[in-house]
Amino acid sequence: MHDFYEIVRPVILPQLMVASVTIICLSFTLSLNYLNGTLLTSSQSIKFFSFPTFLFQIYYTCLVFGNLNDQKNALSFAMYSSNWTQMDMEFKRLFLLMMKMHNANGLNMKITNKLTIDLELCARVINMCYSIFSVLVKSQLKSRNNI
């Protein structure tokens, strides 16, 4: 599992960043087209239909790794909740060793030391995209009103 995380981790952050920037750019371009009076059926606006693809990419990535983390944690809980206290001493030693090995690295799919990939991250990324988009549109509207 550790090897899998080490292989996938460097790919996830750029993937989330590119998808986020693309969502912001597509949204801003569509809003500029609308503000300039361009029809939403123009070739420039048709590109906006790829917007759900990037949203799905962020959502699905966070969903899969969130489920993976949840299943790993559920396995730890299930092992601890088993009837291991009623077993003989040899079994208890092996079970303790297994629990230590399972929890040794505290592996969760993280982008940074504190930022775990899960659906909460998805919501935070979408919220950040909307905030940046909102600032861009407001600045564009403000510059139009000043001209």
Side-chain angles (χ1 to χ4, degrees):
M1 189 65 115
H2 180 70
D3 294 338
F4 173 73
Y5 282 162
E6 289 302 315
I7 292 170
V8 173
R9 184 176 295 142
V11 175
I12 297 299
L13 182 59
Q15 177 186 4
L16 291 175
M17 288 173 43
V18 167
S20 300
V21 169
T22 304
I23 288 171
I24 294 166
C25 291
L26 284 172
S27 302
F28 187 61
T29 302
L30 183 71
S31 66
L32 285 179
N33 285 345
Y34 179 74
L35 292 173
N36 289 334
T38 306
L39 294 175
L40 294 180
T41 57
S42 70
S43 63
Q44 190 76 337
S45 298
I46 297 290
K47 294 176 186 174
F48 183 70
F49 291 111
S50 64
F51 180 81
T53 304
F54 291 102
L55 277 177
F56 180 75
Q57 183 180 18
I58 292 172
Y59 169 77
Y60 195 71
T61 300
C62 293
L63 177 71
V64 166
F65 286 110
N67 283 341
L68 189 62
N69 292 336
D70 291 343
Q71 293 299 320
K72 183 193 164 299
N73 294 335
L75 180 62
S76 294
F77 182 73
M79 285 191 313
Y80 184 76
S81 299
S82 68
N83 194 16
W84 64 273
T85 56
Q86 305 300 320
M87 300 298 175
D88 63 350
M89 191 53 76
E90 183 64 24
F91 180 86
K92 288 179 183 179
R93 283 188 196 126
L94 288 173
F95 190 78
L96 179 61
L97 180 62
M98 182 177 64
M99 289 286 286
K100 283 182 179 179
M101 288 177 59
H102 189 263
N103 292 328
N105 298 324
L107 283 177
N108 276 333
M109 188 59 181
K110 296 179 180 182
I111 294 177
T112 64
N113 289 337
K114 295 182 181 179
L115 194 57
T116 304
I117 299 177
D118 54 8
L119 288 178
E120 181 183 345
L121 177 67
C122 177
R124 290 171 64 183
V125 167
I126 301 294
N127 190 14
M128 180 211 46
C129 289
Y130 176 75
S131 297
I132 294 172
F133 165 74
S134 177
V135 167
L136 288 172
V137 169
K138 284 181 183 179
S139 66
Q140 185 67 28
L141 288 173
K142 188 175 181 180
S143 68
R144 284 176 178 254
N145 289 338
N146 289 338
I147 294 178

